[in-house]
Amino acid sequence: MLLLTPYLLLICGGVVFILALQEEGAGILVWATPTFLVTVTLEALGVATGAIFGAYRYGPVLGKHFFNVPPIIGFNWVLVVLGFSRLVWSRFRIRYAPLGAFVTALLCVLFDFIMEPVAIGLNYWTWTGGSIPLKNYAAWFLISYIFALPTWYLKESFKAKTLQGYILIQAGFFILLRFGLAFAR
């Protein structure tokens, strides 16, 4: 199953993203392209310098690496930020963009907090020294906020229910695995 991880993420995420394009239109693509490119660049700089997230490296599980980063990471940034922004818009009904982006960024950090031990255990990535630096969560918050903010201006009607479901399923997956890891010890 670990060998299939990058392909499953790409196929499932691709289907969800295509459905979101159909539900909301090309505005998402205009937002997603620079979001993907910038987050992959930030990840590459982070791996190379340790300055952004802390000192870490990606393992082989997430597939091919370009500049020491699997491209699926940038795609996942797109899905996580957009999925949580749609969730905040529809469930919390926050219409003020800065507040909506703030809540979205908090949910993205919570998602990363839940995911980190599982991802490390599955060899998605490893942290130098073995512990997750607080800098990682600060970077997650800032990056998520910056990219969530423009999603409030893409369109007045946010319909991407598939994105919301996808991010909740992914969060549930990591929550269950995290509990499993905790009980296995």
Side-chain angles (χ1 to χ4, degrees):
M1 281 307 287
L2 284 178
L3 293 174
L4 296 176
T5 299
Y7 306 108
L8 289 172
L9 287 171
L10 182 62
I11 291 167
C12 294
V15 167
V16 167
F17 191 76
I18 289 168
L19 291 172
L21 277 170
Q22 291 174 344
E23 291 173 335
E24 294 197 30
I28 288 178
L29 193 57
V30 171
W31 170 85
T33 302
T35 300
F36 171 84
L37 294 172
V38 171
T39 56
V40 167
T41 301
L42 290 171
E43 292 280 351
L45 289 170
V47 169
T49 67
I52 298 171
F53 302 96
Y56 69 107
R57 67 174 177 76
Y58 284 99
V61 175
L62 295 176
K64 298 269 187 220
H65 293 71
F66 298 96
F67 299 103
N68 298 315
V69 176
I72 197 70
I73 291 296
F75 188 48
N76 208 51
W77 269 105
V78 167
L79 294 173
V80 168
V81 172
L82 192 57
F84 279 122
S85 71
R86 291 304 181 258
L87 190 71
V88 167
W89 174 273
S90 69
R91 301 290 181 232
F92 300 122
R93 305 208 185 285
I94 297 173
R95 301 301 182 251
Y96 181 61
L99 179 59
F102 181 83
V103 174
T104 297
L106 287 177
L107 289 173
C108 289
V109 170
L110 178 61
F111 177 81
D112 185 54
F113 177 77
I114 292 166
M115 177 182 60
E116 282 291 339
V118 176
I120 293 165
L122 294 174
N123 200 23
Y124 289 5
W125 54 79
T126 57
W127 292 95
T128 303
S131 62
I132 305 159
L134 288 177
K135 175 194 280 194
N136 172 62
Y137 300 114
W140 260 80
F141 180 85
L142 185 60
I143 294 164
S144 297
Y145 182 85
I146 289 168
F147 286 106
L149 190 59
T151 67
W152 259 256
Y153 303 107
L154 288 175
K155 195 174 183 183
E156 280 192 38
S157 172
F158 298 97
K159 303 175 187 171
K161 293 185 190 295
T162 310
L163 274 167
Q164 296 171 44
Y166 178 78
I167 199 61
L168 289 173
I169 288 168
Q170 203 177 52
F173 170 77
F174 283 110
I175 288 169
L176 289 172
L177 284 177
R178 182 144 182 194
F179 279 127
L181 285 174
F183 288 120
R185 292 180 188 172

